[in-house]
């Protein structure tokens, strides 16, 4: 593994503004969202709106990713993704969600998820996950991917490659009539081949008009994940694999989650809709 020093919190830039004509999610300005009580199966109209939101989120992530290089700050990545979403009429879903201060998550090296963009400078050999969600048309589209910064060691590169593969395999396993734990079973069985940890306490989730609907999608083989997959269901799959333990610590900011052993971790995510035969990815650029 890379001998990079461990991360420390950087300085936050001022909160970025969103044009007043862009519709906000209902939770903005509130301590928490209103609990979702609607169905997990969505109408075709909602699914098409989510496809639009997902496309914007994917393109915003791609625009930010173009800047990834040694010497670039994670705050600069936030600036680019924020501007792209606003320029395309979308609200950055994370901005103001339960008080989160930025427009995407940037999780570097040992950060499992929910890293806050700040003055942290990316270094040659780092890996960084960008997690971008866009809200437009009353719905959300959520995706993330892990990127290499400069010359990355082989162990980290393989972790990233295999985490992407675990997501691909899980998507292929989605079929109507199966229980949702098939997703975690496929991910965990693949990860175990390489001795990777599979993060348990942070999961995929239902998504629609709500950022997190209440549906839980574990990435390990949970006996409790017995929800039957149905056509029209919309949810994310977002495996987090680690070079060591799946256990974690949280920084004092209440968001940044790091591996307990401080070994590296990678993540990939798509928003999906279940079809009659499998799953359709809604977060394609």
């Amino acid at each position: 593994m890379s001998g990079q020093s461990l991360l420390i919190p950087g300085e936050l830039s001022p909160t970025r503004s969103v044009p007043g004509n862009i519709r906000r999610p209902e939770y903005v300005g509130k301590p928490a969202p209103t609990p979702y009580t609607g169905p997990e199966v969505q109408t075709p109209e909602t699914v098409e709106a989510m496809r639009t939101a997902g496309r914007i989120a994917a393109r915003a992530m791609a625009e930010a990713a173009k800047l990834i290089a040694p010497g670039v700050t994670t705050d600069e990545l936030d600036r680019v993704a924020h501007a792209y979403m606003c320029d395309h009429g979308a609200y950055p879903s994370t901005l103001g969600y339960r008080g989160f201060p930025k427009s995407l998550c940037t999780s570097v090296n040992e950060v499992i998820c929910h890293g806050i963009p700040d003055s942290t400078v990316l270094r040659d050999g780092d890996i960084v996950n960008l997690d971008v969600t866009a809200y437009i048309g009353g719905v959300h589209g959520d995706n993330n991917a892990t990127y290499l910064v400069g010359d990355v060691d082989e162990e980290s590169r393989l972790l990233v490659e295999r985490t992407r593969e675990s997501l691909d395999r899980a998507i292929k396993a989605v079929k109507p009539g199966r229980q949702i734990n098939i997703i975690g079973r496929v991910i965990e069985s693949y990860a175990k081949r390489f001795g990777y940890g599979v993060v348990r306490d942070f999961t995929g989730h239902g998504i629609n008009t709500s950022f997190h609907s209440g549906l839980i999608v574990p990435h390990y083989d949970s006996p409790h994940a017995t929800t039957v997959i149905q056509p029209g269901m919309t949810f994310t799959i977002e495996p987090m694999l680690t070079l060591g333990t799946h256990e974690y610590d949280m920084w004092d900011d209440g968001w940044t989650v790091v591996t307990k052993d401080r070994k590296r971790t990678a993540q990939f995510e798509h928003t999906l809709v279940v079809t009659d035969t499998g799953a359709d990815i809604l977060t394609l650029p």
Side-chain angles (χ1 to χ4, degrees), residues 7 111-116 249-258:
L7 291 172
V111 179
I112 294 172
C113 57
H114 305 157
I116 301 174
D249 294 319
M250 186 174 288
W251 283 5
D252 291 342
D253 60 23
W255 284 104
T256 306
V257 180
V258 295

Side-chain angles (χ1 to χ4, degrees), residues 28 32 44 60 76 92 101 104 118 123 126 187 189 191 193 210 237 265-266:
V28 174
E76 179 66 4
L104 80 164
D118 58 19
R123 301 162 297 181
D126 283 343
I187 292 168
S189 65
R193 288 167 50 181
S210 173
I237 304 176
T265 176

Side-chain angles (χ1 to χ4, degrees), residues 166-218:
S166 77
L167 172 59
D168 292 344
R169 289 175 178 235
I171 292 171
K172 290 175 183 174
V174 173
K175 306 285 184 188
R178 291 179 170 177
Q179 292 185 344
I180 213 157
N181 61 6
I182 186 65
I183 293 167
R185 188 176 310 137
V186 166
I187 292 168
E188 187 173 39
S189 65
Y190 179 70
K192 279 184 173 179
R193 288 167 50 181
F194 311 104
Y196 296 153
V198 181
V199 173
R200 291 171 169 248
D201 289 356
F202 300 89
T203 68
H205 53 88
I207 183 170
N208 39 66
T209 57
S210 173
F211 195 170
H212 299 87
S213 73
L215 175 67
I216 301 298
V217 183

Side-chain angles (χ1 to χ4, degrees), residues 14-65:
T15 302
R16 303 189 197 284
S17 62
V18 177
N21 64 317
I22 293 177
R23 179 179 173 184
R24 273 75 169 151
E26 59 82 24
Y27 52 74
V28 174
K30 297 164 53 177
T34 301
Y36 178 74
T37 57
E40 296 299 343
V41 172
Q42 303 305 312
T43 66
E45 292 76 18
T46 297
V47 169
E48 285 311 303
M50 290 179 66
R51 198 182 302 277
T52 297
R55 185 180 301 117
I56 291 172
R59 289 176 176 172
M61 184 172 72
E63 285 299 306

Side-chain angles (χ1 to χ4, degrees), residues 125-176:
D126 283 343
I127 60 174
V128 58
N129 178 275
L130 305 186
D131 192 339
V132 181
T133 310
Y135 177 80
I136 188 171
V139 297
H140 301 268
D142 186 2
N143 70 161
N144 76 54
T146 303
Y147 299 89
L148 309 180
V149 184
D151 186 16
V152 175
D153 67 90
E154 181 76 353
E155 185 179 39
S156 299
R157 188 187 64 77
L158 285 172
L159 173 69
V160 171
E161 181 181 299
R162 290 164 176 167
T163 305
R164 182 191 294 113
E165 174 67 16
S166 77
L167 172 59
D168 292 344
R169 289 175 178 235
I171 292 171
K172 290 175 183 174
V174 173
K175 306 285 184 188

